[in-house]
Amino acid sequence: MFLIYLGIIILLPLYAQFKVKNTYTKYAKVRSTSGMTGAQVARLILDRNGLQDVKVVESQGVLTDHYNPLTKTVALSTQNYHEASVAGTAVAAHEVGHAIQDAEAYSFLRFRHRLAPVANITSNASWIFIIIGILASSMNYMLGIGIALMAVGVLFQIVTLPVEFNASTRAMNQIVEHGIIRNEEEPHAKKVLSAAAMTYVAATAVAVMELVRLLLIFTNRE
Ligand SMILES: [Zn+2]
């Protein structure tokens, strides 16, 4: 049981990291038949969805791609911004997927944004209660409070999953619908997006396992 636990919390995130790096590196080298850079892909999909006000900018670094709802900006990492690759196309479309979610006020995205500041505070505060609760078994209620606070952070990570999967589904639909990728490129773009989603699944699995472990300590003492 303990080995399964260790396997999940250590190996799963490592495997996910390895998988995303590997898949991304592989398809970042495959030139897309459209010849469009990530920046062009993002611009085209945004415009076709009536999102001319959303800007596309370059962000420094590798895989730093993200969508900023506050500034209405799709930020693409240097390579994805300038190069025309299958990986860059998939990632650009995924980030635009978040912009479309934002424009449509997609429920999970809204909930995630509302939860973010709360989860940030509770996750940081939870450790103080958990450490006191674990060290002083007479104050098991402290552990209980810590677990409750931590649960908010775990909920945040769980809500991230439908947001990410939905953005990838939208990305695939958009690049197919607007003829940005060809049939034979479809499975490759999907592989890039699935690998990226794996890192979120791994992080969530680890968070849930940690919560369950603490919950078991808590209930065993009661
Ligand atoms: Zn995303």
Side-chain angles (χ1 to χ4, degrees):
M1 190 58 207
F2 187 65
L3 281 178
I4 297 172
Y5 170 76
L6 274 186
I8 289 181
I9 70 156
I10 297 168
L11 296 179
L12 190 64
L14 278 179
Y15 174 72
Q17 286 275 319
F18 167 78
K19 187 87 188 153
V20 74
K21 251 200 190 131
N22 229 3
T23 314
Y24 175 77
T25 312
K26 180 177 175 189
Y27 291 107
K29 285 184 202 136
V30 180
R31 195 178 157 80
S32 57
T33 47
S34 71
M36 292 169 77
T37 65
Q40 290 170 331
V41 167
R43 188 70 269 156
L44 185 139
I45 302 173
L46 286 166
D47 290 348
R48 294 279 170 90
N49 286 274
L51 296 174
Q52 283 83 0
D53 57 324
V54 176
K55 293 183 286 291
V56 180
V57 298
E58 181 184 342
S59 91
Q60 298 298 321
V62 180
L63 285 179
T64 51
D65 312 75
H66 63 277
Y67 169 68
N68 186 335
L70 298 174
T71 56
K72 307 275 176 217
T73 308
V74 168
L76 301 176
S77 54
T78 305
Q79 199 178 5
N80 289 340
Y81 187 92
H82 293 287
E83 291 175 19
S85 70
V86 171
T89 299
V91 173
H94 172 92
E95 298 312 332
V96 174
H98 286 308
I100 300 172
Q101 287 175 335
D102 187 23
E104 287 181 6
Y106 175 61
S107 56
F108 281 114
L109 186 77
R110 275 170 67 184
F111 182 56
R112 189 175 177 272
H113 284 163
R114 290 212 187 112
L115 198 61
V118 184
N120 202 6
I121 296 167
T122 60
S123 298
N124 287 328
S126 68
W127 289 106
I128 302 161
F129 291 92
I130 289 168
I131 289 167
I132 295 172
I134 285 185
L135 292 178
S137 54
S138 59
M139 291 200 279
N140 203 28
Y141 66 92
M142 291 292 265
L143 182 57
I145 296 169
I147 290 169
L149 291 172
M150 192 181 163
V152 181
V154 175
L155 177 67
F156 177 77
Q157 283 188 285
I158 292 171
V159 174
T160 300
L161 297 181
V163 174
E164 291 305 324
F165 281 107
N166 177 268
S168 288
T169 306
R170 286 171 193 263
M172 286 308 299
N173 288 343
Q174 293 289 331
I175 52 181
V176 170
E177 191 185 318
H178 302 303
I180 298 169
I181 57 165
R182 291 199 184 177
N183 284 343
E184 62 268 28
E185 291 175 303
E186 242 179 85
H188 301 154
K190 247 184 205 155
K191 268 187 196 165
V192 173
L193 294 176
S194 304
M198 257 286 282
T199 59
Y200 289 101
V201 173
T204 308
V206 168
V208 170
M209 291 291 284
E210 189 60 21
L211 190 69
V212 170
R213 192 177 67 97
L214 289 170
L215 211 54
L216 286 175
I217 296 173
F218 178 73
T219 51
N220 281 342
R221 279 181 179 174
E222 283 287 295

